[in-house]
């Protein structure tokens, strides 16, 4: 309670998602049988994902063709032609590997609740199920003679382990490569159980190379070699802190391996090393984008790989000698089944073309998107309502999609201020054009001065796509979001968006969306912080308390970091704070939030964000009840270049009441941050609330001079989803 003679009521406004805990429990993670921590990392960077561009590739034995996964199905294409032929349909198909005799392709099929290995017979087009155990089975690779398949499975333990399967008459009998091993060292982000990833056979079929992490504290591990008959004896080939995407491939002559690494850089590129001992690798490719999933051609003269150089994923080939590099063009698609064309035109009430988020389910129950769109998928869903997670793309307002004829289900979102549009469209055998008009919710005239922003976005964070400011702004515009704070942060030993840091708003900002590059300070010991509106420089190293490194010390504390940021005029907050309410009576608590708030160093708190909303809200209310003023904020922690994520930019957002007088983007950011500091905020992921007491809005003070005062209040609520409380 305040000790001043004039009591003061301080009130803030806060909106929390209105689903009950029971309702939230029905939303389950995709492939929940995986028992590995931090699923939003391995899910995006290791498990195969639905992308409209190619995502994995393998050569034919004669080196004249490739097979690759694209749009969740397998495609076959000659490397000297521009036409691709679809090979599979059914589930979502990924990670093909071609047998040495050219007759079969093994691949991984996502069925909605598992990933099972399949065998495609090219002569007949028949698909045979190799595993049907309900586990996650990925990374299949034929042995050189085609009699065995090495792959990674969660079978028995829920952990990623290599299994060796023997093929007999279309049946696969498998055993684990080696016993599971538990490390005694503390791991950062990773399980205490060693994992094994991305196996590849030696040309003689006697050994494997793969990724493993015995007694590694950081990263997915290093590249090891092991003999099939002596698999517990590991030979270290490349020691490195990798990040799920290494995918080593053994050269046909047995002397070299090629793999993806971000060593010394911000992005994954291709590197080559030796297979007989730990040697010094040399880089094969360069660029400020990701090159991954490399495969040697059978004659070892070319490398096929996946790149996000142009933003979306694409298939490239590079000559080993001389380095000539070219994208494999896909100008025509020969489909497995008949397709039709749907053109969507999305407009506002004035008839103007309007960007929006779109989900399309075809008559076959699969998701569809334009060839050039980035398709994203939710990382969790209600299995009682749908077989697969929701997939969606951001449309400019005009999109053309090829999909099977028949009834298609279309859902369109445009932020929290416009009604969600759902419609069944009967797609004809040829071309169907649908014009869809979006309708805004009604708001009082005073709402015009409220500006929406997401205080916690990562433009690039190790995902499938290569995001740039113009694309980031397009995503925000489709979500009807006014302001984006790209909180630049480290991902392992790199900081992917460091090149974009600026104290000014990004030059790609337009009249509808402003992009501001800021910082998230990483320390899992004290708690993560957002530093918005830095006016001089990015704080280095940007993290602390990383054990067994040169920055293992808990210094600097968050208090010191907050001081350094405020010296630059930044606004400081705690982000994605709590998954449960801390209990000092039963656990050691080193999160510095209460101390930093008491010292007056914290301006805002993500009451709605990438955490559990109710525990986060309870801690926030405890701070308010102690008399502290900490503004409520909403931040998605969106990894905006991911194919699989918990939601797009702006799912959790902050509305700030501004003066409404800004004449440029920099002034808008300044006014918005000033309103955030003063508590003139609404943090929400569903309803929009307006609320006043005695004509005073959020962030105001009402001084109580007498024992009793008359309190008048008014408000409104608008929501794009049904609300019950």
């Amino acid at each position: 309670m305040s000790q001043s003679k004039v009591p003061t009521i301080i009130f803030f406004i806060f909106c929390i998602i209105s689903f009950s805990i029971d309702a939230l429990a029905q939303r389950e993670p995709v492939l929940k049988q995986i028992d590995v921590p931090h699923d939003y990392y391995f899910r995006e960077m290791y498990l195969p994902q639905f992308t409209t561009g190619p995502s994995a590739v393998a050569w034919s034995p004669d080196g004249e063709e490739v097979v690759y996964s694209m749009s969740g199905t397998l495609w076959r294409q000659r490397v000297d032609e521009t036409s691709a032929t679809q090979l599979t349909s059914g589930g979502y198909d990924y990670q093909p590997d071609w047998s040495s005799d050219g007759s079969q392709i093994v691949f991984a099929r996502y069925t909605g609740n598992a990933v099972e290995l399949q065998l495609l017979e090219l002569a007949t087009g028949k698909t045979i199920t190799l595993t049907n155990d309900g586990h996650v089975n990925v990374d299949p690779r034929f042995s050189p003679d085609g009699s065995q398949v090495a792959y990674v499975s969660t079978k028995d333990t829920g952990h990623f382990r290599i299994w060796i399967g023997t093929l007999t008459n279309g049946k696969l009998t498998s055993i684990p490569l080696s016993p599971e091993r538990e490390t005694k060292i503390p791991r950062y982000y990773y399980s205490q159980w060693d994992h094994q990833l991305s196996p590849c056979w030696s040309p003689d079929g006697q050994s494997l190379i793969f990724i493993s992490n015995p007694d590694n504290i950081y990263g997915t591990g290093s590249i090891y070699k092991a003999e099939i008959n002596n698999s517990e004896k590991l030979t270290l080939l490349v020691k490195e802190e990798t990040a799920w995407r290494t995918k080593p491939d053994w050269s046909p002559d047995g002397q070299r391996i090629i793999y993806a690494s971000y060593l010394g850089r911000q992005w994954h590129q291709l590197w080559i090393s030796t297979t007989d001992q730990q040697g010094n690798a040399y880089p094969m490719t360069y660029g400020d984008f990701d090159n991954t999933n490399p495969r040697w051609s059978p004659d070892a003269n070319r490398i096929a790989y996946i790149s996000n150089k142009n933003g979306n994923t694409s298939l490239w080939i590079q000559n080993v000698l001389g380095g000539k590099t070219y994208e494999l063009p896909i100008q025509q698609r020969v489909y497995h089944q008949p397709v039709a064309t749907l053109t969507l035109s999305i407009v506002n009430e004035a008839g103007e073309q309007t960007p929006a988020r779109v989900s399309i389910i075809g008559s076959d129950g699969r998701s569809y998107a334009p060839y050039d769109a980035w398709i994203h998928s939710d990382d969790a869903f209600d299995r009682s309502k749908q077989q697969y997670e929701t997939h969606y793309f951001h449309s400019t307002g005009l999109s053309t999609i090829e999909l099977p004829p028949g009834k298609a289900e279309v859902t369109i979102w445009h932020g929290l201020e416009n009604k969600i549009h759902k419609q069944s469209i009967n797609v004809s055998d040829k071309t169907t054009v649908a014009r869809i008009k979006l309708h805004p919710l009604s708001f009082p005239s005073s709402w015009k001065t409220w500006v929406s922003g997401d205080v916690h976005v990562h433009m690039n964070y190790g995902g499938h796509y290569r995001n740039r400011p113009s694309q980031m702004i397009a995503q925000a515009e489709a979500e009807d979001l006014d302001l984006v704070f790209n909180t630049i942060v480290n991902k392992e030993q790199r900081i992917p968006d460091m090149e974009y840091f600026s104290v000014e708003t990004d030059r790609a900002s337009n009249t509808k969306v402003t992009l501001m590059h800021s910082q998230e300070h990483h320390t899992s010991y004290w708690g993560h912080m957002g530093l918005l509106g830095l006016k001089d420089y990015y704080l280095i190293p940007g993290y602390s308390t990383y054990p067994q490194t040169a920055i293992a010390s808990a210094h600097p504390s968050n208090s010191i970091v907050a001081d350094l940021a405020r010296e630059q005029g930044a606004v400081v907050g705690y982000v994605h704070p709590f998954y449960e309410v801390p209990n000092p009576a039963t656990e050691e608590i080193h999160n510095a939030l209460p101390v930093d708030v008491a010292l007056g160093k914290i301006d805002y708190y993500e009451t709605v964000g990438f955490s559990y909303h109710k525990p986060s809200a309870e801690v926030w209310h405890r701070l308010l009840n102690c008399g502290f003023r900490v503004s409520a904020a909403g931040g998605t922690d969106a990894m905006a270049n991911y194919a699989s994520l918990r939601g797009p930019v702006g799912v959790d957002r902050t509305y700030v009441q501004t003066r409404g007088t800004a004449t440029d983007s920099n002034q808008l950011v300044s006014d918005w941050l000033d309103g955030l500091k003063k508590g003139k905020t609404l943090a929400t992921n569903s309803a929009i609330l307006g609320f006043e007491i005695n004509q005073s809005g959020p962030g105001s003070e009402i001084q109580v001079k007498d024992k009793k005062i008359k309190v008048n209040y008014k408000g409104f609520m608008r929501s794009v989803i049904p609300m019950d409380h």
Side-chain angles (χ1 to χ4, degrees):
M1 295 293 293
S2 172
Q3 299 300 311
S4 62
K5 294 183 179 180
V6 181
T8 300
I9 298 175
I10 303 171
F11 75 96
F12 296 82
I13 198 163
F14 173 62
C15 174
I16 194 166
I17 192 167
S18 294
F19 299 133
S20 69
I21 292 296
D22 290 338
L24 287 174
Q26 296 172 11
R27 185 173 161 87
E28 299 175 344
V30 174
L31 301 173
K32 61 180 180 177
Q33 61 269 56
I34 302 175
D35 184 18
V36 179
H38 295 282
D39 60 353
Y40 45 90
Y41 291 153
F42 73 71
R43 191 173 308 284
E44 172 69 9
M45 289 177 274
Y46 184 62
L47 299 184
Q49 298 297 334
F50 179 12
T51 54
T52 55
S55 61
V57 61
W59 292 89
S60 63
D62 62 6
E64 299 298 322
E65 296 180 86
V66 289
V67 59
Y68 51 87
S69 172
M70 181 174 65
S71 297
T73 62
L74 300 189
W75 298 77
R76 180 178 185 173
Q77 183 174 351
R78 290 187 58 87
V79 295
D80 57 356
E81 295 183 356
T82 61
S83 177
T85 300
Q86 187 181 12
L87 295 177
T88 64
S89 59
Y92 291 95
D93 300 338
Y94 306 102
Q95 299 180 326
D97 192 51
W98 214 318
S99 64
S100 58
D101 65 3
S103 66
Q104 299 174 320
I105 291 173
V106 65
F107 63 95
R109 170 169 289 176
Y110 170 48
T111 63
N113 57 12
V115 181
E116 305 288 6
L117 299 188
Q118 310 285 322
L119 190 67
L120 172 65
E121 295 180 344
L122 290 173
T124 64
K126 180 182 178 182
T127 298
I128 301 170
T129 298
L130 295 181
T131 65
N132 191 24
D133 51 23
H135 299 293
V136 175
N137 304 289
V138 294
D139 266 346
R141 297 292 293 267
F142 275 116
S143 62
D145 64 4
S147 65
Q148 293 179 299
V149 175
Y151 63 99
V152 173
S153 179
T154 60
K155 186 177 180 180
D156 295 341
T157 66
H159 309 144
F160 296 121
R161 306 167 64 203
I162 292 175
W163 290 66
I164 305 296
T166 300
L167 273 171
T168 306
N169 297 324
K171 302 291 184 181
L172 191 69
T173 305
S174 303
I175 60 172
L177 174 67
S178 59
E180 195 170 35
R181 178 182 178 276
E182 184 178 14
T183 185
K184 301 302 180 183
I185 66 170
R187 282 230 169 100
Y188 203 79
Y189 284 147
Y190 297 90
S191 168
Q192 292 301 108
W193 295 95
D194 292 353
H195 56 223
Q196 300 165 333
L197 312 173
S198 305
C200 177
W201 295 86
S202 61
D204 63 8
Q206 300 302 307
S207 302
L208 290 175
I209 53 172
F210 53 90
I211 306 299
S212 191
N213 60 341
D215 296 333
N216 285 23
I217 188 171
Y218 294 105
T220 50
S222 300
I223 304 178
Y224 290 92
K225 177 173 67 175
E227 296 178 4
I228 298 296
N229 296 324
N230 189 18
S231 57
E232 294 187 58
K233 181 182 178 181
L234 302 180
T235 300
L236 178 64
L237 300 181
V238 177
K239 184 173 178 56
E240 196 171 309
E241 181 184 317
T242 61
W244 296 112
R245 306 181 71 177
T246 309
K247 304 284 186 181
D249 194 51
W250 208 318
S251 65
D253 63 8
Q255 302 302 308
R256 297 164 293 171
I257 55 171
I258 189 167
Y259 59 95
S261 168
Y262 63 82
L263 181 66
R265 305 174 178 182
Q266 310 290 27
W267 301 87
H268 279 83
Q269 291 294 325
L270 304 184
W271 295 67
I272 292 180
S273 190
T274 61
T275 60
D276 56 352
Q277 60 183 353
Q278 185 177 350
N280 292 317
Y282 72 90
M284 185 73 177
T285 62
Y286 301 82
D288 60 345
F289 45 84
D290 290 314
N291 290 336
T292 58
N293 291 277
R295 296 293 295 267
W296 296 93
S297 64
D299 60 7
N301 290 331
R302 292 164 294 172
I303 302 294
Y305 61 92
I306 305 300
S307 179
N308 59 21
K309 179 178 182 178
N310 299 322
N312 199 357
T313 59
S314 53
L315 175 56
W316 291 69
I317 295 175
Q318 179 167 328
N319 292 346
V320 175
L321 180 62
K324 179 183 178 180
T325 305
Y326 53 96
E327 182 179 359
L328 186 66
I330 306 169
Q331 297 177 358
Q332 181 183 5
R333 304 187 187 202
V334 180
Y335 283 92
H336 195 259
Q337 296 174 334
V339 296
T341 300
L342 170 64
T343 298
L344 282 181
S345 176
I346 304 169
V347 299
N348 59 20
E349 286 202 320
E352 301 166 330
Q353 186 173 299
T354 300
R357 177 176 13 128
V358 180
S359 175
I360 300 177
I361 306 296
S363 58
D364 59 353
R366 300 179 81 256
S367 292
Y368 289 88
Y371 292 157
D372 58 350
W374 294 10
I375 195 162
H376 306 271
S377 64
D378 285 349
D379 64 3
F381 63 103
D382 187 342
R383 294 174 183 274
S384 68
K385 296 182 178 180
Q386 57 194 86
Q387 182 180 3
Y388 296 103
E389 63 270 30
T390 298
H391 296 83
Y392 55 87
F393 62 93
H394 289 117
S395 170
T396 61
L398 185 65
S399 300
T400 299
I401 305 99
E402 289 192 344
L403 71 169
K407 187 171 70 173
E409 301 296 336
V410 178
T411 306
I412 300 176
W413 301 263
H414 187 50
L416 301 183
E417 299 174 51
N418 295 272
K419 296 178 181 178
I420 298 172
H421 182 93
K422 295 186 177 183
Q423 182 176 340
S424 296
I425 299 176
N426 188 29
V427 180
S428 69
D429 292 340
K430 295 183 180 180
T431 300
T432 301
V433 178
R435 187 174 185 268
I436 295 175
K437 180 181 289 187
L438 300 182
H439 299 283
L441 302 174
S442 62
F443 287 90
S445 58
S446 59
W447 182 249
K448 294 179 180 179
T449 60
W450 288 79
V451 175
S452 62
D454 193 331
V455 300
H456 195 167
V457 176
H458 301 300
M459 189 168 72
N460 289 290
Y461 202 65
H464 275 69
Y465 306 122
R466 196 335 179 169
N467 213 348
R468 290 179 171 86
S470 58
Q471 181 73 20
M472 182 75 259
I473 287 171
Q475 290 175 285
E477 194 170 342
E479 299 292 339
D480 194 30
L481 188 69
D482 303 317
L483 180 57
V484 177
F485 287 93
N486 175 30
T487 49
I488 300 171
V489 70
N490 73 298
K491 185 73 187 83
E492 286 89 23
Q493 302 147 305
R494 57 200 160 123
I495 304 179
D497 282 337
M498 181 62 95
E499 64 181 289
Y500 295 108
F501 178 76
S502 173
V503 299
E504 304 289 332
T505 56
D506 193 281
R507 289 179 296 178
S509 300
N510 57 37
T511 57
K512 294 184 178 180
V513 179
T514 296
L515 173 61
M516 187 74 190
H517 302 291
S518 296
Q519 179 173 359
E520 179 183 2
H521 190 271
H522 256 179
T523 164
S524 296
Y525 188 81
W526 299 117
H528 293 188
M529 289 198 302
L531 315 176
L532 309 182
L534 292 164
K535 292 183 171 56
D536 193 1
Y537 61 94
Y538 186 94
L539 299 183
I540 294 293
Y543 48 92
S544 66
T545 326
Y546 276 46
Q548 296 187 16
T549 73
I551 195 163
S553 170
H555 175 80
S557 67
N558 278 2
S559 297
I560 295 173
V561 172
D563 288 342
L564 292 172
R566 282 188 160 186
E567 287 175 4
Q568 299 188 46
V571 176
V572 179
Y574 267 74
V575 301
H576 53 69
F578 295 104
Y579 286 86
E580 59 185 16
V581 177
N583 186 353
T586 59
E587 60 183 307
E588 176 184 320
I589 298 174
H590 43 72
N591 188 293
L593 170 70
V595 174
D596 291 339
V597 169
L599 293 174
K601 300 180 183 295
I602 303 304
D603 302 302
Y604 72 93
Y605 174 97
E606 286 184 9
T607 50
V608 180
F610 197 174
S611 56
Y612 291 160
H613 302 320
K614 288 189 175 182
S616 293
E618 182 174 339
V619 172
W620 180 66
H621 279 97
R622 290 183 181 185
L623 295 173
L624 297 184
N625 290 339
C626 290
F628 299 120
R629 299 194 61 159
V630 182
S631 299
T636 306
D637 199 4
M639 286 74 166
N641 72 323
Y642 272 31
S644 173
L645 68 168
R646 61 176 293 271
V649 57
V651 162
D652 300 315
R653 61 182 65 190
T654 311
Y655 284 94
V656 170
Q657 186 178 28
T658 65
R659 290 186 288 269
T661 58
T663 57
D664 58 48
S665 60
N666 287 299
Q667 184 61 52
L668 172 65
V669 171
S670 178
D671 290 353
W672 198 90
L673 290 177
D674 182 64
L676 176 63
K677 288 182 66 174
K678 293 177 178 178
K680 298 180 177 182
T681 68
L682 162 68
T684 182
N685 56 18
S686 53
I688 293 175
L689 301 181
F691 196 62
E692 292 182 0
I693 295 179
N694 290 0
Q695 291 77 52
S696 296
S700 304
E701 295 183 359
I702 299 174
Q703 294 188 355
V704 183
K705 298 181 180 179
D706 302 313
K707 291 183 178 180
K708 294 182 179 180
I709 64 168
K710 184 177 181 180
V711 174
N712 298 305
Y713 62 89
K714 65 177 182 179
F716 67 86
M717 183 184 77
R718 303 289 187 270
S719 179
V720 296
I721 60 173
M723 307 292 288
D724 58 13
H725 64 282

